[in-house]
Amino acid sequence: MKIRVYKKRWLWVLVIAVIVLAGTVIGMLVTQTGLATFTSNAYGVSLKYPTEWVVDSADDKKGQGEDGFFQLSAMSGEGQSIDEVAEIVASHQLKPYGSNPQITELTLERLKEEERAKLIMPSADQGEEWNHQAALIIKYPEAVKIGDDVYYYFILQGDKEHVEEIGQTVRFTGKP
């Protein structure tokens, strides 16, 4: 009699495990389909963004939706550390991040431990025309040539609600 009860419990555990596994797989598929891939040959990167956003095909460096945006740029930064580059970007004379932006180190899951990224979040006095813009600065694995200029740092600008999430998906394609 005890063997039969044990077998029934084992069967229920197996059924519950299969249901949990199926739910996880379905959840992952739904999450993945909510993102589209954007590749910029000019900047040598690819990234994922919400599918409901529209990418400006004429520009090859920006996309936007009702709830946010992203835009790509780069900075030479030759001979400068990522900290110095972040300070320069954050203190731009037009004050795109307000008068007292916060610069923090960000660990991107894809980066090696010794590589770093910098996140610039706007201060409360950021002008409305900047649309809650924040920035993520990542050092290119190898300098890239865009047009006639050489760049060492990739900059992802985006609204502060999405910039980190999009930043986690940035991959360097090495094709500029």
Side-chain angles (χ1 to χ4, degrees), residues 66-93:
E66 288 185 26
D67 66 337
F69 71 95
F70 72 86
Q71 182 168 330
L72 313 182
S73 65
M75 183 172 166
S76 171
E78 184 177 9
Q80 296 176 311
S81 71
I82 194 167
D83 295 308
E84 293 169 318
V85 170
E87 282 293 331
I88 292 167
V89 171
S91 63
H92 190 278
Q93 66 183 4

Short mmCIF file of all heavy atoms in Angstrom, two decimals, residues 66-93:
data_model
loop_
_atom_site.label_atom_id
_atom_site.label_comp_id
_atom_site.label_asym_id
_atom_site.label_seq_id
_atom_site.Cartn_x
_atom_site.Cartn_y
_atom_site.Cartn_z
N GLU A 66 6.02 55.51 -28.22
CA GLU A 66 5.28 56.43 -27.35
C GLU A 66 5.89 56.52 -25.96
O GLU A 66 5.77 57.54 -25.30
CB GLU A 66 3.82 56.01 -27.25
CG GLU A 66 3.03 56.27 -28.52
CD GLU A 66 1.57 55.94 -28.35
OE1 GLU A 66 1.05 55.98 -27.22
OE2 GLU A 66 0.93 55.65 -29.37
N ASP A 67 6.55 55.44 -25.52
CA ASP A 67 7.06 55.41 -24.15
C ASP A 67 8.58 55.50 -24.05
O ASP A 67 9.14 55.31 -22.98
CB ASP A 67 6.56 54.16 -23.43
CG ASP A 67 7.12 52.88 -24.03
OD1 ASP A 67 7.52 52.89 -25.21
OD2 ASP A 67 7.15 51.87 -23.31
N GLY A 68 9.29 55.78 -25.15
CA GLY A 68 10.73 55.89 -25.04
C GLY A 68 11.44 55.98 -26.37
O GLY A 68 10.82 56.02 -27.42
N PHE A 69 12.78 55.99 -26.30
CA PHE A 69 13.59 56.12 -27.51
C PHE A 69 15.01 55.64 -27.24
O PHE A 69 15.42 55.46 -26.10
CB PHE A 69 13.65 57.58 -27.97
CG PHE A 69 14.46 58.47 -27.06
CD1 PHE A 69 15.80 58.73 -27.34
CD2 PHE A 69 13.91 59.03 -25.91
CE1 PHE A 69 16.56 59.54 -26.51
CE2 PHE A 69 14.66 59.83 -25.08
CZ PHE A 69 15.99 60.09 -25.37
N PHE A 70 15.76 55.42 -28.32
CA PHE A 70 17.19 55.20 -28.23
C PHE A 70 17.85 55.91 -29.40
O PHE A 70 17.22 56.15 -30.43
CB PHE A 70 17.58 53.71 -28.22
CG PHE A 70 17.39 53.01 -29.53
CD1 PHE A 70 18.39 53.02 -30.50
CD2 PHE A 70 16.22 52.34 -29.81
CE1 PHE A 70 18.23 52.37 -31.71
CE2 PHE A 70 16.04 51.67 -31.02
CZ PHE A 70 17.04 51.70 -31.98
N GLN A 71 19.11 56.28 -29.21
CA GLN A 71 19.90 56.89 -30.27
C GLN A 71 21.36 56.51 -30.05
O GLN A 71 21.83 56.48 -28.92
CB GLN A 71 19.75 58.41 -30.26
CG GLN A 71 20.52 59.08 -31.37
CD GLN A 71 20.16 60.54 -31.55
OE1 GLN A 71 19.04 60.94 -31.27
NE2 GLN A 71 21.12 61.32 -32.00
N LEU A 72 22.05 56.21 -31.14
CA LEU A 72 23.44 55.80 -31.07
C LEU A 72 24.37 56.97 -31.36
O LEU A 72 24.07 57.82 -32.20
CB LEU A 72 23.72 54.70 -32.10
CG LEU A 72 22.75 53.53 -32.18
CD1 LEU A 72 23.24 52.52 -33.22
CD2 LEU A 72 22.54 52.88 -30.85
N SER A 73 25.49 56.99 -30.68
CA SER A 73 26.54 57.94 -31.01
C SER A 73 27.87 57.34 -30.55
O SER A 73 27.89 56.23 -30.00
CB SER A 73 26.29 59.32 -30.37
OG SER A 73 26.34 59.23 -28.96
N ALA A 74 28.94 58.04 -30.78
CA ALA A 74 30.26 57.56 -30.39
C ALA A 74 31.14 58.75 -30.05
O ALA A 74 30.83 59.88 -30.43
CB ALA A 74 30.88 56.74 -31.53
N MET A 75 32.21 58.48 -29.34
CA MET A 75 33.15 59.54 -28.98
C MET A 75 34.55 59.00 -29.17
O MET A 75 34.84 57.85 -28.83
CB MET A 75 32.94 59.96 -27.52
CG MET A 75 33.82 61.09 -27.09
SD MET A 75 33.32 61.66 -25.46
CE MET A 75 34.75 62.64 -25.05
N SER A 76 35.43 59.85 -29.66
CA SER A 76 36.81 59.41 -29.90
C SER A 76 37.43 58.93 -28.59
O SER A 76 37.77 57.78 -28.46
CB SER A 76 37.64 60.53 -30.50
OG SER A 76 39.00 60.14 -30.51
N GLY A 77 37.61 59.81 -27.66
CA GLY A 77 38.15 59.43 -26.36
C GLY A 77 39.52 58.78 -26.38
O GLY A 77 39.91 58.11 -25.44
N GLU A 78 40.26 59.01 -27.45
CA GLU A 78 41.58 58.38 -27.56
C GLU A 78 42.46 58.80 -26.39
O GLU A 78 42.59 59.98 -26.08
CB GLU A 78 42.26 58.77 -28.88
CG GLU A 78 43.58 58.07 -29.08
CD GLU A 78 44.21 58.39 -30.43
OE1 GLU A 78 43.71 59.28 -31.14
OE2 GLU A 78 45.21 57.73 -30.76
N GLY A 79 43.03 57.82 -25.71
CA GLY A 79 43.91 58.10 -24.58
C GLY A 79 43.19 58.46 -23.30
O GLY A 79 43.84 58.77 -22.30
N GLN A 80 41.86 58.45 -23.30
CA GLN A 80 41.09 58.81 -22.11
C GLN A 80 40.45 57.57 -21.50
O GLN A 80 40.09 56.63 -22.20
CB GLN A 80 40.00 59.83 -22.46
CG GLN A 80 40.58 61.15 -22.95
CD GLN A 80 39.50 62.11 -23.40
OE1 GLN A 80 38.63 61.74 -24.17
NE2 GLN A 80 39.57 63.34 -22.92
N SER A 81 40.28 57.62 -20.18
CA SER A 81 39.61 56.52 -19.49
C SER A 81 38.10 56.67 -19.66
O SER A 81 37.59 57.74 -20.02
CB SER A 81 39.96 56.54 -18.00
OG SER A 81 39.32 57.64 -17.37
N ILE A 82 37.37 55.61 -19.36
CA ILE A 82 35.92 55.67 -19.44
C ILE A 82 35.36 56.68 -18.44
O ILE A 82 34.35 57.33 -18.71
CB ILE A 82 35.28 54.26 -19.27
CG1 ILE A 82 33.81 54.31 -19.71
CG2 ILE A 82 35.46 53.75 -17.85
CD1 ILE A 82 33.17 52.95 -19.87
N ASP A 83 36.03 56.86 -17.31
CA ASP A 83 35.60 57.86 -16.33
C ASP A 83 35.71 59.27 -16.90
O ASP A 83 34.81 60.09 -16.73
CB ASP A 83 36.44 57.75 -15.04
CG ASP A 83 36.22 56.44 -14.33
OD1 ASP A 83 35.06 56.09 -14.06
OD2 ASP A 83 37.21 55.74 -14.03
N GLU A 84 36.82 59.54 -17.58
CA GLU A 84 37.00 60.86 -18.19
C GLU A 84 35.98 61.11 -19.29
O GLU A 84 35.40 62.20 -19.38
CB GLU A 84 38.42 60.99 -18.77
CG GLU A 84 39.50 61.00 -17.71
CD GLU A 84 40.90 60.87 -18.28
OE1 GLU A 84 41.09 60.05 -19.21
OE2 GLU A 84 41.80 61.58 -17.79
N VAL A 85 35.72 60.10 -20.11
CA VAL A 85 34.74 60.24 -21.19
C VAL A 85 33.35 60.49 -20.60
O VAL A 85 32.62 61.37 -21.08
CB VAL A 85 34.75 58.99 -22.10
CG1 VAL A 85 33.57 59.00 -23.07
CG2 VAL A 85 36.07 58.89 -22.84
N ALA A 86 32.98 59.76 -19.55
CA ALA A 86 31.67 59.95 -18.92
C ALA A 86 31.53 61.37 -18.38
O ALA A 86 30.47 62.00 -18.52
CB ALA A 86 31.46 58.93 -17.81
N GLU A 87 32.58 61.91 -17.78
CA GLU A 87 32.55 63.29 -17.26
C GLU A 87 32.36 64.30 -18.39
O GLU A 87 31.59 65.25 -18.27
CB GLU A 87 33.83 63.61 -16.48
CG GLU A 87 33.87 63.03 -15.10
CD GLU A 87 32.83 63.64 -14.15
OE1 GLU A 87 32.43 64.81 -14.31
OE2 GLU A 87 32.40 62.90 -13.25
N ILE A 88 33.04 64.07 -19.49
CA ILE A 88 32.92 64.98 -20.64
C ILE A 88 31.50 64.94 -21.19
O ILE A 88 30.89 65.99 -21.44
CB ILE A 88 33.95 64.62 -21.74
CG1 ILE A 88 35.36 64.92 -21.25
CG2 ILE A 88 33.64 65.35 -23.04
CD1 ILE A 88 36.47 64.32 -22.12
N VAL A 89 30.95 63.75 -21.37
CA VAL A 89 29.59 63.62 -21.91
C VAL A 89 28.58 64.24 -20.95
O VAL A 89 27.69 64.98 -21.37
CB VAL A 89 29.25 62.13 -22.19
CG1 VAL A 89 27.79 61.96 -22.54
CG2 VAL A 89 30.14 61.59 -23.30
N ALA A 90 28.71 63.96 -19.66
CA ALA A 90 27.75 64.45 -18.67
C ALA A 90 27.78 65.96 -18.49
O ALA A 90 26.76 66.57 -18.15
CB ALA A 90 28.01 63.77 -17.33
N SER A 91 28.94 66.56 -18.75
CA SER A 91 29.06 68.01 -18.53
C SER A 91 28.98 68.82 -19.82
O SER A 91 29.45 69.95 -19.87
CB SER A 91 30.37 68.31 -17.80
OG SER A 91 31.47 67.93 -18.61
N HIS A 92 28.37 68.25 -20.85
CA HIS A 92 28.22 68.96 -22.13
C HIS A 92 27.60 70.33 -21.88
O HIS A 92 26.71 70.49 -21.03
CB HIS A 92 27.34 68.14 -23.07
CG HIS A 92 27.32 68.66 -24.46
ND1 HIS A 92 26.50 69.71 -24.85
CD2 HIS A 92 28.01 68.29 -25.56
CE1 HIS A 92 26.70 69.96 -26.13
NE2 HIS A 92 27.61 69.11 -26.59
N GLN A 93 28.04 71.33 -22.63
CA GLN A 93 27.60 72.71 -22.41
C GLN A 93 26.09 72.90 -22.58
O GLN A 93 25.51 73.82 -22.00
CB GLN A 93 28.36 73.67 -23.31
CG GLN A 93 28.08 73.49 -24.79
CD GLN A 93 28.92 74.43 -25.65
OE1 GLN A 93 29.77 75.16 -25.15
NE2 GLN A 93 28.67 74.41 -26.95
#
